[in-house]
Amino acid sequence: MRKVVIAGNWKMNKTPKEAVEFLRELGEVKVNDSMRVIICSTNLCLQPLLHHKKGDVEIAAQNMHFEDSGAFTGEVSTKMLKAVGVNISVIGHSERREYFAETDEALNKKVLKAAEEDFDVILCVGETLEQREKEIHKEHVKNQIVSDLKNLKEEDLKRVIIAYEPIWAIGTGKTATSEQAEEMCLFIRNVVEELYSKEAADNTSILYGGSVKPANVKELMSMENIDGALIGGASLKADSFLELIHYDK
Ligand code: PGA
């Protein structure tokens, strides 16, 4: 059965010292088998985080390249990440799509590479405000998923967590309503069912992201098709991240 995933996306924040301090404040995190708690940090903080983490927190990258090595200045491969103990990365975040021209074609290569390497990805999809206002958001998100998962075998879909992040809700304080988020997460599950099978769709964790915070996480998580959250701003402080992890308390 699909897992609940609470993932903090630190973006370009925290020095290694600050990252370790965060872990000290977080303490030992214990979760049961049905949940994953993940911190997505810059590459610079990955090793200090892995070294100092206590309990069940997983450490993830925010990007990976689809080649193993070569002339790709500024990039890091899955092989390199795995060599230091990182087995998961965010890919396709809207900031990378927008500011760093990450394409669906490149994302598809990353998804296939991850599957080949037994490496997990949190694949982000989501529409702009303009697309929502034009009511083409579903079509857009479907196109992203169809392109990004092209040629991925059903047995490898277990490597993919999907995060629905409407761009207009990221870092804006403007959260999608839980109904809007649920509608899109259900829509995405149906797309996965169309592409694969009902079983595959039922087993895929689909997260919502965009201004999730302790005050709204419980309501979002009460929705049937929202299996977790990808959290930016509110994941940067240990006390707030702890509240998000323990949203059901
Ligand atoms: P936010 O960011 O929680 O700060 O809106 C979410 C994200 O970009 O993943």
Side-chain angles (χ1 to χ4, degrees):
M1 228 5 224
R2 60 187 190 249
K3 293 195 176 188
V4 167
V5 179
I6 297 290
N9 174 15
W10 282 358
K11 308 191 180 188
M12 197 174 73
N13 289 292
K14 294 195 191 294
T15 61
K17 191 170 166 219
E18 289 163 350
V20 170
E21 177 59 20
F22 175 98
L23 285 184
R24 200 187 57 74
E25 286 171 24
L26 193 68
E28 182 165 3
V29 174
K30 281 269 166 220
V31 293
N32 60 29
D33 263 8
S34 61
M35 186 175 184
R36 295 175 79 172
V37 175
I38 304 170
I39 294 173
C40 313
S41 84
T42 63
N43 291 336
L44 204 60
C45 292
L46 294 174
Q47 283 179 287
L49 284 169
L50 284 164
H51 186 74
H52 290 275
K53 81 183 183 82
K54 289 202 193 94
D56 303 322
V57 187
E58 292 176 65
I59 306 301
Q62 297 174 1
N63 186 27
M64 40 93 54
H65 198 268
F66 49 80
E67 295 289 350
D68 292 338
S69 61
F72 301 102
T73 303
E75 292 290 316
V76 168
S77 70
T78 44
K79 277 214 159 47
M80 292 166 180
L81 291 167
K82 281 174 70 176
V84 299
V86 173
N87 295 299
I88 176 166
S89 179
V90 172
I91 58 171
H93 190 280
S94 62
E95 287 148 20
R96 293 220 53 92
R97 291 179 187 257
E98 186 180 348
Y99 308 139
F100 304 97
E102 184 156 45
T103 62
D104 285 313
E105 198 189 353
L107 284 165
N108 181 232
K109 290 185 185 166
K110 292 183 186 196
V111 166
L112 297 177
K113 182 68 192 178
E116 184 189 317
E117 293 284 338
D118 293 334
F119 189 92
D120 292 352
V121 292
I122 301 176
L123 170 67
C124 303
V125 295
E127 80 282 0
T128 62
L129 186 57
E130 198 188 342
Q131 286 165 330
R132 182 161 275 264
E133 281 170 353
K134 284 193 187 147
E135 293 181 13
I136 54 167
H137 51 292
K138 286 191 176 163
E139 184 186 328
H140 173 73
V141 167
K142 181 172 180 174
N143 285 341
Q144 287 182 317
I145 292 173
V146 170
S147 313
D148 299 347
L149 300 185
K150 195 170 148 202
N151 297 328
L152 182 77
K153 296 197 196 93
E154 177 158 343
E155 72 216 54
D156 292 326
L157 192 65
K158 62 178 183 297
R159 295 280 160 218
V160 181
I161 295 168
I162 299 176
Y164 167 64
E165 299 207 306
I167 296 170
W168 47 272
I170 295 178
T172 57
K174 195 177 166 193
T175 326
T177 63
S178 42
E179 288 75 22
Q180 283 172 322
E182 166 68 10
E183 186 192 14
M184 287 306 286
C185 290
L186 171 62
F187 174 75
I188 289 168
R189 200 173 306 286
N190 289 336
V191 171
V192 175
E193 182 172 340
E194 251 175 66
L195 291 175
Y196 295 94
S197 64
K198 170 127 187 22
E199 195 191 352
D202 283 344
N203 289 332
T204 301
S205 296
I206 303 176
L207 322 184
Y208 166 77
S211 299
V212 178
K213 45 187 180 275
N216 60 20
V217 67
K218 196 167 180 170
E219 190 185 331
L220 287 161
M221 291 299 291
S222 73
M223 295 297 182
E224 197 179 330
N225 287 286
I226 302 179
D227 306 317
L230 181 59
I231 308 135
S235 73
L236 288 168
K237 291 228 159 60
D239 54 355
S240 153
F241 193 55
L242 270 176
E243 281 188 63
L244 291 160
I245 297 170
H246 300 298
Y247 66 89
D248 56 346
K249 298 274 148 60

